[in-house]
Amino acid sequence: MAKFMGSAVVALIAGLIVFIVTRPDSFHISRTRPIQASPEVVHGLINNFSKWPQWSPYEKVDPNMERTYEGAAEGVGAGYAWKGNKNIGAGRMTIVDSKPGERITIRLEFIEPFAAVNQAEFVLAANNNTTQVTWSMSGPNTFMGKAMMGFGFMESFVGTQLEKGLEDLDTVAREEARKATQSAQAERNRLAPAR
């Protein structure tokens, strides 16, 4: 009986390993949401890392996280490094492509608690009075990543974070659009001839 149980455990572990190693060598997770603001407003909130604390879900994981901004203030070459507690780790992001109102591509480097290089991308599409925003993350799959993907943990965890980020981005973008409308109206009133 003990020999049978031992063989069953070995077979189960072997089957699990085979299942994990046969998962795809890369991953792609994305979420899409309509944002109640123009592509220009939305692009501005993503294209400048100093605005990410207003909406990014990762900014709230560790309130004491250290942040460093590097390179350009926004757009291609803008960089952002972080170092936080065990829940957020350490890493850096660099904007590698930016097309106003259309797309932003980011090189995403994780340093701690594990090393990995992925890509984050935001695709913006005007749709009547809204902007359809797709936020995706993709990259190579390590053994651990394959295990997490194989059982749905990575899709669930990362997907939930992307959804929360897009929800908060919508809230912040609405406020930015409202302020821009008020400012434009105030300027029109200022320039209007007196009656």
Side-chain angles (χ1 to χ4, degrees):
M1 181 68 173
K3 188 175 181 181
F4 173 76
M5 290 296 288
S7 297
V9 169
V10 169
L12 183 64
I13 292 171
L16 184 60
I17 290 172
V18 169
F19 171 76
I20 291 171
V21 298
T22 58
R23 298 302 90 204
D25 291 330
S26 62
F27 74 91
H28 181 88
I29 300 168
S30 69
R31 295 293 187 270
T32 301
R33 180 185 175 104
I35 305 290
Q36 303 295 317
S38 70
E40 293 73 25
V41 168
V42 176
H43 188 272
L45 290 168
I46 302 167
N47 200 45
N48 184 329
F49 286 127
S50 68
K51 295 184 179 182
W52 279 50
Q54 298 177 59
W55 60 268
S56 172
Y58 303 106
E59 293 284 340
K60 299 168 181 70
V61 175
D62 177 8
N64 300 315
M65 181 171 64
E66 297 173 23
R67 299 167 181 84
T68 306
Y69 300 100
E70 306 162 340
E74 61 183 37
V76 175
Y80 169 80
W82 77 89
K83 184 171 179 60
N85 62 25
K86 62 179 179 150
N87 296 320
I88 195 68
R92 103 174 14 93
M93 296 187 289
T94 307
I95 296 177
V96 295
D97 185 39
S98 180
K99 293 183 175 61
E102 294 180 21
R103 173 185 311 270
I104 297 165
T105 307
I106 299 168
R107 177 182 167 88
L108 180 57
E109 300 173 71
F110 296 100
I111 300 168
E112 295 173 2
F114 56 86
V117 177
N118 295 327
Q119 177 175 290
E121 186 171 54
F122 295 84
V123 176
L124 287 59
N127 185 10
N128 295 322
N129 295 325
T130 67
T131 301
Q132 196 79 356
V133 180
T134 299
W135 184 4
S136 65
M137 185 184 296
S138 57
N141 249 344
T142 61
F143 181 81
M144 185 58 74
K146 288 182 177 187
M148 291 176 68
M149 286 294 287
F151 293 101
F153 298 134
M154 195 164 175
E155 172 72 31
S156 175
F157 177 74
V158 174
T160 299
Q161 295 295 314
L162 300 182
E163 288 167 9
K164 176 62 175 155
L166 290 172
E167 180 183 326
D168 290 346
L169 180 61
D170 184 30
T171 300
V172 174
R174 285 177 192 236
E175 182 61 19
E176 289 283 318
R178 186 187 66 76
K179 286 179 185 174
T181 300
Q182 285 181 337
S183 179
Q185 184 60 49
E187 184 64 13
R188 281 193 295 276
N189 292 345
R190 188 183 71 79
L191 296 175
R195 292 183 181 174

